Amino acid sequence: MSAGWKVFWLSAVVFAAAYGLARLLVPDVVPIGYAEEPEPSWAVMTAFVLRAIELTAAWVAVITSSVLAGAWLRQLFRHAVPPAPRSD
């Protein structure tokens, strides 16, 4: 479980860093879409890469939290249900 939490918090930190960098470096640039005025290609590419990192980190956090919740529930129900009596 400790490794799962490390993966979760690492992905949360990466998500926050990518989100913060996107707002700091390219605040008004959208990765894909039409703009009223031309945008520099480096800004569009940077916004695209940072958005891809954000989405990947978010999915890793969601998947990790789902696996951790499943492991916790499995452990909870395994200890809550008494074993069936043997009929030997």
mmCIF file of all heavy atoms in Angstrom, residues 64-87:
data_model
loop_
_atom_site.group_PDB
_atom_site.id
_atom_site.type_symbol
_atom_site.label_atom_id
_atom_site.label_comp_id
_atom_site.label_asym_id
_atom_site.label_seq_id
_atom_site.Cartn_x
_atom_site.Cartn_y
_atom_site.Cartn_z
ATOM 1 N N THR A 64 -4.612 4.829 -9.710
ATOM 2 C CA THR A 64 -3.972 4.439 -8.464
ATOM 3 C C THR A 64 -4.946 4.507 -7.300
ATOM 4 O O THR A 64 -4.992 3.601 -6.467
ATOM 5 C CB THR A 64 -2.758 5.337 -8.180
ATOM 6 O OG1 THR A 64 -1.872 5.286 -9.290
ATOM 7 C CG2 THR A 64 -2.016 4.889 -6.948
ATOM 8 N N SER A 65 -5.734 5.567 -7.232
ATOM 9 C CA SER A 65 -6.697 5.668 -6.133
ATOM 10 C C SER A 65 -7.767 4.581 -6.241
ATOM 11 O O SER A 65 -8.222 4.068 -5.212
ATOM 12 C CB SER A 65 -7.328 7.058 -6.088
ATOM 13 O OG SER A 65 -8.049 7.303 -7.265
ATOM 14 N N SER A 66 -8.147 4.198 -7.435
ATOM 15 C CA SER A 66 -9.111 3.108 -7.611
ATOM 16 C C SER A 66 -8.536 1.779 -7.132
ATOM 17 O O SER A 66 -9.216 1.002 -6.453
ATOM 18 C CB SER A 66 -9.527 2.988 -9.074
ATOM 19 O OG SER A 66 -10.149 4.152 -9.514
ATOM 20 N N VAL A 67 -7.293 1.509 -7.493
ATOM 21 C CA VAL A 67 -6.648 0.273 -7.056
ATOM 22 C C VAL A 67 -6.477 0.266 -5.537
ATOM 23 O O VAL A 67 -6.719 -0.757 -4.875
ATOM 24 C CB VAL A 67 -5.296 0.086 -7.776
ATOM 25 C CG1 VAL A 67 -4.486 -1.044 -7.165
ATOM 26 C CG2 VAL A 67 -5.514 -0.176 -9.254
ATOM 27 N N LEU A 68 -6.075 1.388 -4.964
ATOM 28 C CA LEU A 68 -5.928 1.470 -3.510
ATOM 29 C C LEU A 68 -7.269 1.279 -2.803
ATOM 30 O O LEU A 68 -7.344 0.595 -1.769
ATOM 31 C CB LEU A 68 -5.304 2.801 -3.118
ATOM 32 C CG LEU A 68 -3.817 2.947 -3.400
ATOM 33 C CD1 LEU A 68 -3.377 4.388 -3.178
ATOM 34 C CD2 LEU A 68 -3.017 2.010 -2.534
ATOM 35 N N ALA A 69 -8.322 1.875 -3.336
ATOM 36 C CA ALA A 69 -9.644 1.704 -2.732
ATOM 37 C C ALA A 69 -10.100 0.252 -2.839
ATOM 38 O O ALA A 69 -10.672 -0.303 -1.880
ATOM 39 C CB ALA A 69 -10.655 2.626 -3.410
ATOM 40 N N GLY A 70 -9.843 -0.374 -3.975
ATOM 41 C CA GLY A 70 -10.195 -1.784 -4.131
ATOM 42 C C GLY A 70 -9.426 -2.682 -3.179
ATOM 43 O O GLY A 70 -9.994 -3.608 -2.579
ATOM 44 N N ALA A 71 -8.147 -2.417 -3.005
ATOM 45 C CA ALA A 71 -7.342 -3.203 -2.066
ATOM 46 C C ALA A 71 -7.817 -2.989 -0.636
ATOM 47 O O ALA A 71 -7.882 -3.938 0.158
ATOM 48 C CB ALA A 71 -5.868 -2.831 -2.200
ATOM 49 N N TRP A 72 -8.173 -1.771 -0.297
ATOM 50 C CA TRP A 72 -8.660 -1.481 1.050
ATOM 51 C C TRP A 72 -9.990 -2.189 1.307
ATOM 52 O O TRP A 72 -10.191 -2.783 2.376
ATOM 53 C CB TRP A 72 -8.799 0.027 1.231
ATOM 54 C CG TRP A 72 -9.329 0.406 2.573
ATOM 55 C CD1 TRP A 72 -8.669 0.370 3.764
ATOM 56 C CD2 TRP A 72 -10.653 0.857 2.859
ATOM 57 N NE1 TRP A 72 -9.505 0.790 4.774
ATOM 58 C CE2 TRP A 72 -10.722 1.094 4.246
ATOM 59 C CE3 TRP A 72 -11.770 1.089 2.078
ATOM 60 C CZ2 TRP A 72 -11.883 1.546 4.862
ATOM 61 C CZ3 TRP A 72 -12.925 1.548 2.697
ATOM 62 C CH2 TRP A 72 -12.963 1.765 4.066
ATOM 63 N N LEU A 73 -10.901 -2.126 0.324
ATOM 64 C CA LEU A 73 -12.194 -2.801 0.484
ATOM 65 C C LEU A 73 -12.027 -4.311 0.564
ATOM 66 O O LEU A 73 -12.704 -4.980 1.349
ATOM 67 C CB LEU A 73 -13.123 -2.432 -0.673
ATOM 68 C CG LEU A 73 -13.711 -1.033 -0.628
ATOM 69 C CD1 LEU A 73 -14.461 -0.725 -1.922
ATOM 70 C CD2 LEU A 73 -14.626 -0.876 0.567
ATOM 71 N N ARG A 74 -11.137 -4.849 -0.227
ATOM 72 C CA ARG A 74 -10.891 -6.292 -0.187
ATOM 73 C C ARG A 74 -10.366 -6.700 1.190
ATOM 74 O O ARG A 74 -10.794 -7.704 1.752
ATOM 75 C CB ARG A 74 -9.898 -6.673 -1.274
ATOM 76 C CG ARG A 74 -9.653 -8.140 -1.362
ATOM 77 C CD ARG A 74 -8.739 -8.457 -2.505
ATOM 78 N NE ARG A 74 -8.522 -9.887 -2.559
ATOM 79 C CZ ARG A 74 -7.626 -10.464 -3.302
ATOM 80 N NH1 ARG A 74 -6.860 -9.733 -4.084
ATOM 81 N NH2 ARG A 74 -7.485 -11.756 -3.291
ATOM 82 N N GLN A 75 -9.448 -5.923 1.717
ATOM 83 C CA GLN A 75 -8.905 -6.213 3.040
ATOM 84 C C GLN A 75 -9.985 -6.059 4.109
ATOM 85 O O GLN A 75 -10.070 -6.860 5.044
ATOM 86 C CB GLN A 75 -7.732 -5.280 3.334
ATOM 87 C CG GLN A 75 -7.050 -5.558 4.642
ATOM 88 C CD GLN A 75 -5.908 -4.587 4.882
ATOM 89 O OE1 GLN A 75 -5.836 -3.533 4.238
ATOM 90 N NE2 GLN A 75 -5.030 -4.927 5.788
ATOM 91 N N LEU A 76 -10.825 -5.053 3.979
ATOM 92 C CA LEU A 76 -11.891 -4.822 4.941
ATOM 93 C C LEU A 76 -12.886 -5.971 4.959
ATOM 94 O O LEU A 76 -13.252 -6.480 6.026
ATOM 95 C CB LEU A 76 -12.610 -3.503 4.617
ATOM 96 C CG LEU A 76 -13.744 -3.097 5.531
ATOM 97 C CD1 LEU A 76 -13.190 -2.669 6.883
ATOM 98 C CD2 LEU A 76 -14.535 -1.975 4.896
ATOM 99 N N PHE A 77 -13.325 -6.419 3.788
ATOM 100 C CA PHE A 77 -14.305 -7.497 3.716
ATOM 101 C C PHE A 77 -13.699 -8.856 4.032
ATOM 102 O O PHE A 77 -14.389 -9.752 4.488
ATOM 103 C CB PHE A 77 -14.998 -7.511 2.354
ATOM 104 C CG PHE A 77 -15.948 -6.375 2.163
ATOM 105 C CD1 PHE A 77 -15.883 -5.585 1.043
ATOM 106 C CD2 PHE A 77 -16.906 -6.085 3.126
ATOM 107 C CE1 PHE A 77 -16.761 -4.528 0.867
ATOM 108 C CE2 PHE A 77 -17.782 -5.036 2.968
ATOM 109 C CZ PHE A 77 -17.717 -4.253 1.827
ATOM 110 N N ARG A 78 -12.428 -9.032 3.772
ATOM 111 C CA ARG A 78 -11.783 -10.304 4.079
ATOM 112 C C ARG A 78 -11.758 -10.520 5.596
ATOM 113 O O ARG A 78 -11.955 -11.619 6.070
ATOM 114 C CB ARG A 78 -10.361 -10.338 3.528
ATOM 115 C CG ARG A 78 -9.649 -11.642 3.853
ATOM 116 C CD ARG A 78 -8.305 -11.703 3.215
ATOM 117 N NE ARG A 78 -8.521 -11.889 1.774
ATOM 118 C CZ ARG A 78 -7.581 -11.763 0.871
ATOM 119 N NH1 ARG A 78 -6.368 -11.419 1.216
ATOM 120 N NH2 ARG A 78 -7.830 -11.961 -0.400
ATOM 121 N N HIS A 79 -11.513 -9.456 6.358
ATOM 122 C CA HIS A 79 -11.465 -9.579 7.809
ATOM 123 C C HIS A 79 -12.855 -9.512 8.437
ATOM 124 O O HIS A 79 -13.046 -9.971 9.559
ATOM 125 C CB HIS A 79 -10.582 -8.488 8.416
ATOM 126 C CG HIS A 79 -9.144 -8.647 8.042
ATOM 127 N ND1 HIS A 79 -8.398 -9.730 8.403
ATOM 128 C CD2 HIS A 79 -8.321 -7.843 7.314
ATOM 129 C CE1 HIS A 79 -7.170 -9.610 7.938
ATOM 130 N NE2 HIS A 79 -7.101 -8.467 7.258
ATOM 131 N N ALA A 80 -13.828 -8.960 7.747
ATOM 132 C CA ALA A 80 -15.162 -8.802 8.312
ATOM 133 C C ALA A 80 -15.987 -10.086 8.205
ATOM 134 O O ALA A 80 -16.828 -10.352 9.050
ATOM 135 C CB ALA A 80 -15.893 -7.672 7.609
ATOM 136 N N VAL A 81 -15.752 -10.885 7.189
ATOM 137 C CA VAL A 81 -16.545 -12.101 6.975
ATOM 138 C C VAL A 81 -15.835 -13.273 7.647
ATOM 139 O O VAL A 81 -14.696 -13.582 7.300
ATOM 140 C CB VAL A 81 -16.729 -12.355 5.466
ATOM 141 C CG1 VAL A 81 -17.489 -13.638 5.235
ATOM 142 C CG2 VAL A 81 -17.414 -11.184 4.802
ATOM 143 N N PRO A 82 -16.493 -13.948 8.592
ATOM 144 C CA PRO A 82 -15.846 -15.098 9.222
ATOM 145 C C PRO A 82 -15.787 -16.273 8.248
ATOM 146 O O PRO A 82 -16.629 -16.396 7.353
ATOM 147 C CB PRO A 82 -16.750 -15.408 10.405
ATOM 148 C CG PRO A 82 -18.062 -14.845 10.052
ATOM 149 C CD PRO A 82 -17.781 -13.660 9.148
ATOM 150 N N PRO A 83 -14.805 -17.113 8.391
ATOM 151 C CA PRO A 83 -14.711 -18.260 7.475
ATOM 152 C C PRO A 83 -15.888 -19.218 7.678
ATOM 153 O O PRO A 83 -16.439 -19.348 8.780
ATOM 154 C CB PRO A 83 -13.381 -18.912 7.855
ATOM 155 C CG PRO A 83 -13.090 -18.432 9.224
ATOM 156 C CD PRO A 83 -13.754 -17.091 9.370
ATOM 157 N N ALA A 84 -16.278 -19.876 6.612
ATOM 158 C CA ALA A 84 -17.388 -20.841 6.668
ATOM 159 C C ALA A 84 -16.963 -22.064 7.472
ATOM 160 O O ALA A 84 -15.805 -22.482 7.404
ATOM 161 C CB ALA A 84 -17.799 -21.236 5.270
ATOM 162 N N PRO A 85 -17.884 -22.651 8.229
ATOM 163 C CA PRO A 85 -17.524 -23.842 9.002
ATOM 164 C C PRO A 85 -17.254 -25.029 8.072
ATOM 165 O O PRO A 85 -17.889 -25.183 7.035
ATOM 166 C CB PRO A 85 -18.764 -24.105 9.869
ATOM 167 C CG PRO A 85 -19.870 -23.387 9.201
ATOM 168 C CD PRO A 85 -19.255 -22.244 8.448
ATOM 169 N N ARG A 86 -16.315 -25.819 8.461
ATOM 170 C CA ARG A 86 -15.941 -26.995 7.671
ATOM 171 C C ARG A 86 -16.853 -28.159 8.020
ATOM 172 O O ARG A 86 -17.228 -28.340 9.168
ATOM 173 C CB ARG A 86 -14.498 -27.367 7.944
ATOM 174 C CG ARG A 86 -13.548 -26.238 7.508
ATOM 175 C CD ARG A 86 -12.150 -26.572 7.819
ATOM 176 N NE ARG A 86 -11.762 -27.797 7.110
ATOM 177 C CZ ARG A 86 -10.537 -28.222 7.001
ATOM 178 N NH1 ARG A 86 -9.558 -27.544 7.564
ATOM 179 N NH2 ARG A 86 -10.241 -29.318 6.360
ATOM 180 N N SER A 87 -17.202 -28.905 7.037
ATOM 181 C CA SER A 87 -18.106 -30.048 7.267
ATOM 182 C C SER A 87 -17.362 -31.362 7.054
ATOM 183 O O SER A 87 -17.777 -32.219 6.292
ATOM 184 C CB SER A 87 -19.306 -29.952 6.344
ATOM 185 O OG SER A 87 -18.870 -29.991 4.990
#
